[in-house]
Amino acid sequence: MEKPYVLGIDIGGQTAKSGVVNARGEVLAQTILVSNNHQDARDFVEALAQTLRKLISDAGLNGQIRGIGVGAPNGNYYTGEIKDAPNLSWAHEKNIPFAKMLSEAMDGLPVALTNDANAAAVGEMTYGAAKGFKDFIMITLGTGVGSGIVIDGKVVYGHDGFAGELGHTCAVRGGRSCNCGKQGCLEAYCSAIGVARSAQEWLEQHPEEPTLLRLRENITSKDVYEAAKAGDKAAKEIFEFTGTLLGRSFADFVAFSAPEAIVLFGGLARAKEFLYEPIVNAMNENLLSLWRGKVKVLFSSLSESDAAILGASALAWDI
Amino acid sequence: MEKPYVLGIDIGGQTAKSGVVNARGEVLAQTILVSNNHQDARDFVEALAQTLRKLISDAGLNGQIRGIGVGAPNGNYYTGEIKDAPNLSWAHEKNIPFAKMLSEAMDGLPVALTNDANAAAVGEMTYGAAKGFKDFIMITLGTGVGSGIVIDGKVVYGHDGFAGELGHTCAVRGGRSCNCGKQGCLEAYCSAIGVARSAQEWLEQHPEEPTLLRLRENITSKDVYEAAKAGDKAAKEIFEFTGTLLGRSFADFVAFSAPEAIVLFGGLARAKEFLYEPIVNAMNENLLSLWRGKVKVLFSSLSESDAAILGASALAWDI
């Protein structure tokens, strides 16, 4: 096969992970670049292109790369732009024509770009837990809550390329303020940061009750997870609250697109043992009877370090 | 053109409206059959087939009908079945293989079936306010609240054929009980029946305040509309409440599929003058900034008597 490899790049708030991937979905080589210390987009793209050239060359694959797939916060599949991504210093309050810039820096290699959750959905459908599914919803539980919606085998981009912002649907009317400026968003409760906020609230509301969490300063969702694993009642309650809100929202998502499954991915999805039951229970309680007990809730089966790269790379096969 | 006509049938809880439609979307002839006095589905299908044969023959179009499109409550596009439709006496708690039965009764004419809201969406896209739109959401405000979702020019049917039950997403957590058995559904507030319930609640909560509504027994949404037109403050407040709930929900729908427009249809949509502003205001308040002020809220431009028939008939061109 001519040019049998693709590059997958996952751009996050801290790092950009890049990998060379073959058609079987194996990451043959990968590399990491810090993504938050660049003055502007041009700086970052140049540093990234240099990294990619070295990656290709070290792997002995010069001239054999077919294209590049990129997953990035607020990435727009239609325009190839990154639009006002608050977590990227070089893309804050700007529209960056990222796909075009990267393609130029890589001697015209074609570049496809989408947001990180859509990339994860494509990866999951091509290589992971959603293999063979034509209708599913990917929910990424990381620093934020992202989503990639697949209907009839295709990612939903919508009229403007920004469909699938389920982290900013309303979970609690008039609830916590969210980074986006609205109130009560699912992301304000069910992201890693949301779980940490829930822990903080729990401590304030239960000043007398003993919990391992009280020993921590600046509680993170990881602290809550570790406390829950150690049997801490408060930590378990916090996950139950988180899972219940997720399940309620999932019921509404099911009423929209009637998916076969909802697939969870991201750091917080590691707390599967504490989240699964409350999610499934709350979802079924809030579903129309025709769907009750029928919609699968799955956790990504891709290894986390590879998944983001695979997801992004899967885009590049279709360019 | 060979066989240049189709039949469109809209089955409701009281009547089934049938019409002959040409490729320009003109209803050339139509007829009505009572739909709620039949013992079983076979009875109804036979009566319907008789009506259709007469309609075709009276119009002088024997042998010129290409196919039949049917919109029916709980109609499933994939299976051609009507599944447990609570408002149809002959389909209650049963699965009726309606498309197959009607095709057999009509000498093998092909029959396509979907739910009434999806049919309305297809009609709106083919002939109405959504002409030229590839991404929009149709909301039908009738006895219930139905929805038809169009993404990239296609109606979303989902994994099982039942996608688009937005009337049963949660509008008020723990709110009013809904016919479906759940609580707080959009339909429990924003259908014709929901508006009547809101009026009843308003009267109970404001025992002293004067309003035209107090003069009515068994208030209907039509009473509320007429009172609002006469300048009644309470009636206007009830529409403002209804519109606000709709707008909030629409914001979440937009976050899902990023449509170009939301199109409203059905009896209650006639109250456009009282609903439009609260809908648009509440929607924009609850949208991410990237969509604020950009998503159109439209009211169906199809004449109501034709719209349901046209919507159903549009299905038949693609059989």
Side-chain angles (χ1 to χ4, degrees):
Chain A
M1 196 193 339
E2 212 191 341
K3 296 194 177 179
Y5 304 99
V6 291
L7 293 181
I9 306 174
D10 175 60
I11 300 178
Q14 303 296 319
T15 58
K17 292 173 197 147
S18 306
V20 183
V21 179
N22 66 17
R24 284 193 301 279
E26 292 158 346
V27 180
L28 304 179
Q30 54 178 291
T31 181
I32 287 187
L33 177 72
V34 170
S35 63
N36 63 356
N37 63 351
H38 300 82
Q39 292 270 323
D40 59 21
R42 190 152 302 281
D43 259 18
F44 175 70
V45 168
E46 270 169 30
L48 180 62
Q50 205 170 342
T51 307
L52 295 178
R53 277 193 290 268
K54 185 166 185 315
L55 178 71
I56 297 166
S57 157
D58 287 356
L61 298 174
N62 280 323
Q64 297 195 62
I65 304 295
R66 182 158 158 170
I68 303 175
V70 182
N74 293 15
N76 188 311
Y77 181 75
Y78 292 150
T79 64
E81 293 176 340
I82 297 176
K83 183 178 167 130
D84 184 12
N87 299 327
L88 299 173
S89 56
W90 45 270
H92 188 35
E93 294 189 355
K94 283 177 214 138
N95 277 2
I96 309 292
F98 193 84
K100 186 165 168 282
M101 288 171 74
L102 184 60
S103 176
E104 283 169 7
M106 291 298 289
D107 305 320
L109 264 184
V111 175
L113 176 143
T114 190
N115 80 36
D116 36 358
N118 286 341
V122 173
E124 211 62 50
M125 182 166 54
T126 315
Y127 309 113
K131 211 165 172 176
F133 289 2
K134 294 186 78 178
D135 296 274
F136 71 98
I137 297 175
M138 181 87 186
I139 302 284
T140 60
L141 303 173
T143 318
V145 173
S147 63
I149 300 159
V150 174
I151 292 178
D152 205 15
K154 293 194 206 86
V155 173
V156 174
Y157 293 112
H159 177 56
D160 56 9
F162 290 113
E165 283 291 353
L166 300 184
H168 298 285
T169 56
C170 183
V172 178
R173 188 64 57 196
R176 287 179 195 166
S177 59
C178 181
N179 277 340
C180 73
K182 301 200 301 153
Q183 282 192 296
C185 293
L186 191 62
E187 172 163 309
Y189 291 85
C190 300
S191 60
I193 290 169
V195 168
R197 286 172 79 178
S198 297
Q200 204 56 55
E201 277 184 11
W202 193 97
L203 289 175
E204 284 158 20
Q205 285 160 10
H206 303 78
E208 304 294 323
E209 283 188 52
T211 161
L212 294 170
L213 298 173
R214 216 176 291 284
L215 310 172
R216 307 273 181 179
E217 277 182 60
N218 299 322
I219 300 175
T220 65
S221 62
K222 197 160 163 258
D223 295 332
V224 184
Y225 177 58
E226 279 166 7
K229 281 197 79 121
D232 190 79
K233 196 169 144 270
K236 285 184 185 171
E237 250 178 55
I238 290 159
F239 278 119
E240 186 150 338
F241 172 70
T242 308
T244 300
L245 290 190
L246 283 170
R248 285 180 185 168
S249 290
F250 291 179
D252 284 349
F253 305 162
V254 169
F256 201 101
S257 67
E260 181 171 3
I262 291 181
V263 182
L264 298 173
F265 176 80
L268 201 59
R270 260 176 281 170
K272 175 181 175 179
E273 59 200 291
F274 305 111
L275 287 172
Y276 181 78
E277 258 188 59
I279 287 176
V280 170
N281 290 344
M283 182 175 83
N284 281 320
E285 267 167 36
N286 289 278
L287 279 177
L288 283 178
S289 61
L290 77 101
W291 287 308
R292 221 163 278 158
K294 290 187 187 151
V295 182
K296 301 179 188 85
V297 172
L298 304 173
F299 287 71
S300 171
S301 62
L302 296 175
S303 91
E304 208 171 332
S305 60
D306 287 359
I309 289 172
L310 283 175
S313 77
L315 281 176
W317 296 111
D318 289 330
I319 301 180
Chain B
M1 199 193 337
E2 211 191 342
K3 297 195 178 177
Y5 304 99
V6 291
L7 292 181
I9 306 174
D10 175 60
I11 300 177
Q14 303 295 319
T15 59
K17 293 174 196 145
S18 306
V20 183
V21 179
N22 67 15
R24 285 193 300 280
E26 290 158 348
V27 180
L28 304 180
Q30 56 178 293
T31 183
I32 287 189
L33 176 72
V34 171
S35 63
N36 62 355
N37 63 351
H38 299 83
Q39 293 271 322
D40 58 22
R42 190 153 301 282
D43 260 17
F44 175 71
V45 168
E46 270 168 30
L48 181 62
Q50 205 169 341
T51 307
L52 295 178
R53 275 192 291 268
K54 184 166 186 314
L55 179 71
I56 296 166
S57 159
D58 286 356
L61 297 175
N62 280 323
Q64 297 195 62
I65 304 296
R66 183 161 158 168
I68 303 175
V70 182
N74 293 17
N76 188 311
Y77 181 75
Y78 292 150
T79 65
E81 293 177 339
I82 297 176
K83 184 180 168 133
D84 183 12
N87 299 328
L88 299 173
S89 56
W90 44 271
H92 187 35
E93 294 189 353
K94 284 178 214 133
N95 277 0
I96 309 292
F98 193 84
K100 186 165 167 282
M101 288 171 74
L102 184 61
S103 177
E104 282 169 8
M106 291 297 290
D107 306 320
L109 266 184
V111 175
L113 178 143
T114 189
N115 80 37
D116 36 358
N118 286 341
V122 172
E124 211 62 51
M125 182 167 55
T126 315
Y127 308 112
K131 211 165 172 174
F133 290 1
K134 295 186 76 179
D135 297 273
F136 71 98
I137 297 175
M138 181 87 186
I139 301 285
T140 61
L141 302 174
T143 319
V145 174
S147 63
I149 302 159
V150 173
I151 291 178
D152 205 16
K154 291 193 208 89
V155 173
V156 174
Y157 293 111
H159 176 56
D160 57 9
F162 290 113
E165 284 290 353
L166 299 183
H168 298 284
T169 56
C170 184
V172 178
R173 187 64 56 196
R176 287 180 196 166
S177 59
C178 182
N179 277 340
C180 74
K182 303 199 300 152
Q183 282 192 297
C185 292
L186 190 62
E187 172 164 310
Y189 291 86
C190 300
S191 60
I193 291 170
V195 168
R197 287 171 80 179
S198 297
Q200 205 55 57
E201 278 184 10
W202 193 96
L203 289 176
E204 284 158 21
Q205 286 159 9
H206 304 78
E208 305 293 324
E209 284 189 52
T211 160
L212 295 171
L213 299 174
R214 217 176 289 282
L215 309 173
R216 306 272 183 179
E217 276 181 60
N218 299 322
I219 300 174
T220 65
S221 61
K222 197 161 162 259
D223 296 332
V224 184
Y225 177 57
E226 279 165 8
K229 281 198 80 124
D232 189 78
K233 196 170 144 268
K236 285 186 185 169
E237 249 177 55
I238 290 159
F239 278 118
E240 186 150 340
F241 172 70
T242 309
T244 300
L245 291 190
L246 283 170
R248 285 180 186 169
S249 290
F250 291 179
D252 285 348
F253 305 161
V254 170
F256 201 101
S257 66
E260 180 170 4
I262 291 180
V263 182
L264 298 173
F265 177 79
L268 201 60
R270 261 176 280 169
K272 174 179 175 179
E273 59 200 291
F274 305 112
L275 286 172
Y276 180 79
E277 257 187 58
I279 288 176
V280 170
N281 291 344
M283 183 176 83
N284 281 320
E285 268 167 34
N286 288 278
L287 279 176
L288 283 177
S289 61
L290 77 101
W291 288 308
R292 220 164 279 159
K294 289 188 188 152
V295 181
K296 301 179 188 83
V297 173
L298 304 173
F299 287 71
S300 171
S301 62
L302 296 176
S303 91
E304 208 172 332
S305 60
D306 288 358
I309 289 172
L310 283 175
S313 78
L315 280 176
W317 296 112
D318 290 330
I319 300 179

